[in-house]
Amino acid sequence: MLLALALLATYVLGLLALIAGVTASSVTLIVLGALVTAAFPIAVATRAWRDRRR
């Protein structure tokens, strides 16, 4: 349950950074938002995939 909340919070924060970057026309914020939005779900999926293969 805690992992799901952390995943959702990270996703929302990344999307908010993307919105702020587009609003401010800041490439740095857009890239940061994209990285935050993608990083945690990729880490969770990678860990699940590795655990499944064991």
Side-chain angles (χ1 to χ4, degrees), residues 6-52:
L7 183 62
L8 180 63
T10 304
Y11 191 72
V12 168
L13 286 174
L15 289 177
L16 288 174
L18 277 168
I19 292 168
V22 169
T23 302
S25 298
S26 171
V27 175
T28 305
L29 265 179
I30 294 170
V31 170
L32 180 65
L35 289 174
V36 169
T37 302
F40 199 60
I42 289 173
V44 170
T46 302
R47 177 176 284 203
W49 183 70
R50 284 184 181 166
D51 288 345
R52 186 175 148 251

